[in-house]
Amino acid sequence: MDGESFPRVPVGSVELTREQVAAGLYVQFAGLPELPGHFTDVELLDILARALDARGLAGLDDARRELEALPLDDRTAMRAYGCAYRLCVEHWYRDALCEQLSAGELALALYASDIEVGRDRSALDRLSEVDGHLSEGVSRLGARTLALYGDEVEREFDHPERRVPFAELSETYRALMPDARRRRFCRDLAVSRQWAAPRPLLVLFDEGGYAVGAVPPEDPHLIAFHCAFLPRSRRAQMEAAA
């Protein structure tokens, strides 16, 4: 909608704002005895549908006011806002589903760029440089290649008990990233970039095909939490990176 910072999330015939989504998730979280470690997006949408059936739009607006009155560090509120942000990002483009580029996809793009291998594997203090190389790598490989082979990076660098040797990964992956030292450097830098700031969106269109899209803004509730609770030096670093 015009004037809104985040896209609305479709739930049946209704489209909910980020704030309404957070409120719907909040009222359901409050009724659960234990929170699972990770919700899937399908589960989150089911929770929203139940909240909408039980409360209606007017009830969600009442819940939103209750949610907004909670402390910034309230765990249930933080989880509700975080999951709402995730769903809004997923629906950034119409007729498509989106997710931020994974560490594996970022590593592929960095490897394909002209970035030089060095000792500094942190993206925080040189975000614009790293993102310039990311754009370069994306343009060289294309979104489809990132989507198809990003998981193989994670398989190679997974927990030692689940790791797949490089020689056992696909021929295409081995051709894309043959240099072990450069592969490790780009993967470590990608993990750092993953946590430094929001990442470009990988877009999967309903009719097929992939694209790399916009970089969404950071979760507003997370920004407010950081401003309230992070040490001033750390906040300054984050603001400089943004």
Side-chain angles (χ1 to χ4, degrees), residues 87-110:
L87 285 176
C88 287
V89 167
E90 184 179 69
H91 293 89
W92 203 266
Y93 293 99
R94 287 194 176 275
D95 302 318
L97 292 177
C98 309
E99 61 182 3
Q100 296 189 57
L101 288 175
S102 69
E105 291 154 355
L106 292 171
L108 276 168
L110 287 170

Side-chain angles (χ1 to χ4, degrees), residues 67-156:
L67 179 60
E68 290 172 349
L70 292 174
L72 288 171
D73 59 345
D74 181 271
R75 291 188 178 183
T76 303
M78 290 186 70
R79 193 174 178 91
Y81 278 118
C83 290
Y85 174 79
R86 184 171 115 192
L87 285 176
C88 287
V89 167
E90 184 179 69
H91 293 89
W92 203 266
Y93 293 99
R94 287 194 176 275
D95 302 318
L97 292 177
C98 309
E99 61 182 3
Q100 296 189 57
L101 288 175
S102 69
E105 291 154 355
L106 292 171
L108 276 168
L110 287 170
Y111 190 103
S113 76
D114 291 336
I115 194 167
E116 293 185 3
V117 176
R119 292 184 178 182
D120 185 2
R121 303 184 183 194
S122 171
L124 185 59
D125 296 327
R126 52 191 184 117
L127 197 57
S128 61
E129 174 201 346
V130 172
D131 281 2
H133 286 296
L134 279 174
S135 297
E136 180 185 15
V138 168
S139 66
R140 290 178 178 177
L141 290 181
R144 184 174 183 274
T145 298
L146 298 182
L148 291 179
Y149 298 102
D151 285 349
E152 294 208 58
V153 180
E154 297 311 308
R155 291 173 66 197
E156 182 184 4

Side-chain angles (χ1 to χ4, degrees), residues 7-242:
R8 296 192 171 203
V9 175
V11 183
S13 60
V14 178
E15 292 188 340
L16 301 180
T17 66
R18 182 185 69 90
E19 294 79 7
Q20 289 171 326
V21 171
L25 297 175
Y26 166 70
V27 297
Q28 289 295 324
F29 283 166
L32 294 175
E34 293 183 10
L35 296 180
H38 298 283
F39 281 112
T40 68
D41 292 342
V42 171
E43 288 171 323
L44 291 173
L45 290 172
D46 286 344
I47 290 172
L48 278 179
R50 293 199 300 271
L52 192 58
D53 287 342
R55 299 286 189 105
L57 285 174
L60 291 189
D61 287 334
D62 290 339
R64 176 179 57 81
R65 287 187 284 272
E66 180 182 342
L67 179 60
E68 290 172 349
L70 292 174
L72 288 171
D73 59 345
D74 181 271
R75 291 188 178 183
T76 303
M78 290 186 70
R79 193 174 178 91
Y81 278 118
C83 290
Y85 174 79
R86 184 171 115 192
L87 285 176
C88 287
V89 167
E90 184 179 69
H91 293 89
W92 203 266
Y93 293 99
R94 287 194 176 275
D95 302 318
L97 292 177
C98 309
E99 61 182 3
Q100 296 189 57
L101 288 175
S102 69
E105 291 154 355
L106 292 171
L108 276 168
L110 287 170
Y111 190 103
S113 76
D114 291 336
I115 194 167
E116 293 185 3
V117 176
R119 292 184 178 182
D120 185 2
R121 303 184 183 194
S122 171
L124 185 59
D125 296 327
R126 52 191 184 117
L127 197 57
S128 61
E129 174 201 346
V130 172
D131 281 2
H133 286 296
L134 279 174
S135 297
E136 180 185 15
V138 168
S139 66
R140 290 178 178 177
L141 290 181
R144 184 174 183 274
T145 298
L146 298 182
L148 291 179
Y149 298 102
D151 285 349
E152 294 208 58
V153 180
E154 297 311 308
R155 291 173 66 197
E156 182 184 4
F157 293 100
D158 201 348
H159 187 279
E161 294 180 359
R162 298 185 294 272
R163 218 169 266 171
V164 178
F166 179 72
E168 296 179 15
L169 294 168
S170 73
E171 183 178 351
T172 301
Y173 174 72
R174 288 183 278 124
L176 286 170
M177 302 180 77
D179 186 301
R181 180 168 176 258
R182 183 174 181 82
R183 199 163 62 246
R184 166 64 71 180
F185 172 81
C186 290
R187 196 268 178 175
D188 289 349
L189 185 57
V191 170
S192 172
R193 174 60 186 87
Q194 187 178 26
W195 299 109
R199 291 150 277 145
L201 296 177
L202 181 67
V203 185
L204 172 60
F205 295 103
D206 293 348
E207 295 183 354
Y210 300 90
V212 174
V215 178
E218 194 168 357
D219 179 353
H221 189 268
L222 196 59
I223 292 175
F225 174 81
H226 286 160
C227 289
F229 295 104
L230 278 184
R232 183 177 299 177
S233 59
R234 175 61 173 152
R235 292 204 305 270
Q237 279 187 311
M238 294 181 63
E239 289 167 1

